[in-house]
Structure formats: structure tokens, C-alpha cells
Amino acid sequence: MTGRGDSAPRRHRIEIEAGPAFEIASDEDTLLRGALRAGVPLPYECSVGGCGTCRFELIEGRIDSAWAEAPGLSERERKRGKRLACQSRVLTDCRIRARIDPQADVPIRAVRARARLESRREITADLAEFSFRVPAEARFFAGQYALLHPPATPGARAYSMSNTDTEPGIWRFIVRRVPAGVGSRALFDRVRPGDELGLDGPYGHAYLRAGTRDVVCVAGGSGLGPMLSVTRGVLAEPGTRQVRFFLGLRSQADLGAADELRSLLGPRLNVTTVLSAPESAAPWSGPTGFVHTLVDASLGPDPARFDFYFAGPPPMIDAMQDLLLVRHRVPFDQVRFDRFV
Ligand SMILES: Cc1cc2nc3c(=O)[nH]c(=O)nc-3n(C[C@H](O)[C@H](O)[C@H](O)COP(=O)(O)OP(=O)(O)OC[C@H]3O[C@@H](n4cnc5c(N)ncnc54)[C@H](O)[C@@H]3O)c2cc1C
Ligand code: FES
């Protein structure tokens, strides 16, 4: 134990078997966030207990789980002693068995900040853009996400930035109000302009990489946010690469989301919107069906000439992975995505 008295944050030493050691501010960080902040890239995707990528084993020491039932672990895995680094609170110095993932070694380190809501702009009946200001410069890559702490919500919620970090101190998020969702409802119902909440970021490795191939962005619902950010990033590049943007929505009631792309339209951006469940009573002459089917029909025989970015609900992500990685054998390093678990 390396406690330093009442006022200083408690710090504990974590040793990874056959790997590096680091110190963690255990009152403030989960094991995952402390490791990433110390420059030790433990594997992760969602940061919120849903995906299971951050599994590890405790060899020695004491660790508490912030969310014992997190769906990222099966009952069987729990019984076999597996834990989730993103839900682990460190109570003593520890030794753990965990993988190191070079992909998680993102050059911008996450920072914690108090974020003040500057404005909220409605996009559709259940989608809004929340713009937060932090006192420090905003630094993130296009396509990354941050962890927000809405009031009266256990744990953090992951939301992807929809802007790029060229707006000093501004982090914008496009959030869907989930009908029975605790965190998204708290954001919509309890956070007013001028209110502050905790923000920690950036996280995620599905961010825009430099390159020469044209880019395909595929967004399902609120997956619009990070894909807008990636598109903005590409269009701000001095190069000539183009973006083909596929937006999957449910019905005509969601079409306000497509308007978010309007100001970016031009010779380097082509947008196709597809509705999966159009209402028969409202006009719609565009494509219908699932967005991945439209992507498949549109890209021709050699999809590997594109770099792919996609974000949205798990069924869409599974379908896109199957399409690109299994059926078309697009190289893995040309495919980047965030699954909104
Ligand atoms: C990488 C990533 C990026 C995302 N980006 C966006 C985005 O840009 N826009 C958007 O609208 N949505 C996004 N989401 C989804 C978002 O994080 C929430 O899952 C969604 O808003 C529903 O949250 P909720 O609290 O309303 O619903 P709930 O059903 O109350 O909560 C679901 C989420 O909260 C976590 N959670 C639930 N209970 C607990 C608990 N007790 N302790 C800790 N965690 C808990 C779950 O893992 C899950 O992430 C993203 C998700 C991920 C993983
Ligand atoms: S990163 Fe921990 S469960 Fe997804």
C-alpha cells in the first residue's frame, strides 16, 4: 500500500505478470483508466462494462467491482476469476495477468475535467447535440469518444464526439434519448445549460488515420456523431480523398439526422440515407432496408480500395464486420468501428 495521508489521492502499484508496472490513483480511476493514463495500453473497447475486451485475472491484492453484473463477463467467466479492468476499483497494490494491446496505445492521453453544458440543440424528437466546454484545450482524434458522468447515474456513459478538436475547449456529442436509459435520460432531463458534469477522455481507437484511400463512413442512428467527426476530419485534410457516407435510420421521423450532413456536402462528400422501417403514410422515395445491405450493393467488387469507419448498434456492427472482414476480406487495418453497447 502506498497511501499518502488523507488529502493526497491514494496510489497503488500494479504489476502486470511478465509486463510493465505502474501506479494508479485508486480513488479516481478504474484499473483500465489508470493504466491508460500511465501509458500502459491494456486492451479495451467500450470502457463501460459491455464488451468484455478488458478481461484480466487478479493474481495478488484486492480489487472491488464497481458493477458486479456487468454484461461484459459471462457467469462462467466470473466463476473462473475473470474481471473487467474498466469496472475494477483497486484497493491495494496488486499483481495481475493481462494482455498488452499496442492498438490501445493512443498518443493523446485522456484527461479528467469538469465540463459545462454550453448549449443543447434538438435534431429529432429523440436526438440532440450537447455542446460542452472544458477549461482546458480539447485534444482528441476524429472518431474518439469521452466518458460522461450524468447526474444520479451509476458508472460512466460513453459518447462519441461529433466535432473535431479545432474548436478550442469544445466537445460536442450527438446523444439519443434511450426510453428506459438512466444516463441518457438524465442528460436530457436534468442537465441544463450552465450545469457541469464530469468528462474523461478521449478514449477509443476507431479514430481517423491519415491515408490516401477514399473513406466509407457508415452510421446507424446515433452512430452519426463519430461519423460526422471522421467526415469533418477527412474534409479538413489538404488531400483529395473523398467520403462516401451511408446513414441508416428507422423512419421519416429520424430524417433530421441527415440534415446534420447538409453543410458538409460538396465534391468530396457523397451521402446516402436509408430507412429500415419507413412509414407508409409519409413520403419517401429513397432506399429502404438495412444500411449494410446498401453498402454491399453500392461499393462494387473491390471494397478493399476504401478505408472503413462505422458506429452504431451491435447488430449493425456485426453485419458490417461480417460483410467486410469475412465476405470481402478487407484487411483488418482498414476497418475501424465502435459498437454502441
Ligand atoms: C464507444 C461508445 C460510444 C458511444 N457513443 C454514443 C453516442 O455518440 N451517442 C449515443 O447516443 N450513444 C452512444 N453510445 C451509447 C451510450 O454509451 C449509452 O449506452 C446509451 O446512451 C444508453 O445509456 P443509458 O444510460 O441511457 O441506458 P442504460 O440502459 O441505463 O445504460 C446502458 C449503458 O450504461 C452502462 N451501465 C449500465 N448500468 C451501469 C452501472 N450500474 N454501472 C456502470 N455502467 C453501467 C452500460 O454498460 C451501457 O453502456 C456509445 C457507446 C459506446 C460503447
Ligand atoms: S472495455 Fe471493459 S467491458 Fe468493454
Side-chain angles (χ1 to χ4, degrees), residues 244 246 290-301 323 327-328:
R244 295 181 67 171
F246 294 87
F290 290 121
V291 67
H292 70 276
T293 311
L294 186 73
V295 174
D296 192 22
S298 307
L299 294 185
L323 174 72
R327 283 173 46 205
H328 289 292

Side-chain angles (χ1 to χ4, degrees), residues 45-51 66-72 86-87 126-128 143-147 150 153-162 172-188 203-204 221-226 311-312 337-341:
E45 282 178 23
C46 72
S47 300
V48 288
C51 71
W67 186 18
E69 312 79 34
C86 71
Q87 300 301 320
D126 63 359
L127 206 64
Q144 286 194 287
Y145 66 89
L147 297 173
T153 301
R157 296 296 184 269
Y159 293 108
S160 311
M161 284 69 83
S162 59
R172 297 186 199 275
F173 306 93
I174 292 182
V175 180
R176 186 171 87 83
R177 178 199 278 271
V178 175
V182 177
S184 62
R185 272 181 33 208
L187 271 179
F188 275 86
Y203 291 100
S222 56
L224 173 65
F337 57 87
D338 268 328
R339 184 188 303 269
F340 287 9
V341 290

Side-chain angles (χ1 to χ4, degrees), residues 210-335:
T212 50
R213 276 182 287 269
D214 285 345
V215 167
V216 172
C217 287
V218 185
S222 56
L224 173 65
M227 294 303 102
L228 264 174
S229 178
V230 166
T231 300
R232 290 187 164 114
V234 175
L235 298 183
E237 290 171 351
T240 55
R241 60 177 173 161
Q242 303 190 350
V243 180
R244 295 181 67 171
F245 198 116
F246 294 87
L247 176 60
L249 302 173
R250 226 182 113 65
S251 74
Q252 291 90 333
D254 303 320
L255 283 172
D259 292 340
E260 294 298 295
L261 286 149
R262 210 180 281 273
S263 65
L264 302 175
L265 284 172
R268 291 176 62 197
L269 172 64
N270 173 281
V271 179
T272 310
T273 302
V274 54
L275 300 186
S276 60
E279 293 148 16
S280 51
W284 176 248
S285 55
T288 58
F290 290 121
V291 67
H292 70 276
T293 311
L294 186 73
V295 174
D296 192 22
S298 307
L299 294 185
D302 181 22
R305 68 186 192 281
F306 296 102
D307 285 338
F308 289 86
Y309 296 85
F310 45 98
M316 186 203 101
I317 301 299
D318 292 344
M320 283 299 303
Q321 279 185 284
D322 182 60
L323 174 72
L324 298 177
L325 298 171
V326 181
R327 283 173 46 205
H328 289 292
R329 299 192 181 279
V330 176
F332 195 73
D333 66 354
Q334 289 175 230
V335 177

Side-chain angles (χ1 to χ4, degrees), residues 64-87:
D64 185 24
S65 175
W67 186 18
E69 312 79 34
L73 282 182
S74 65
E75 216 28 65
R76 190 153 174 260
E77 288 170 318
R78 258 186 265 278
K79 282 192 183 133
R80 291 171 63 194
K82 302 276 185 207
R83 294 162 186 264
L84 295 176
C86 71
Q87 300 301 320

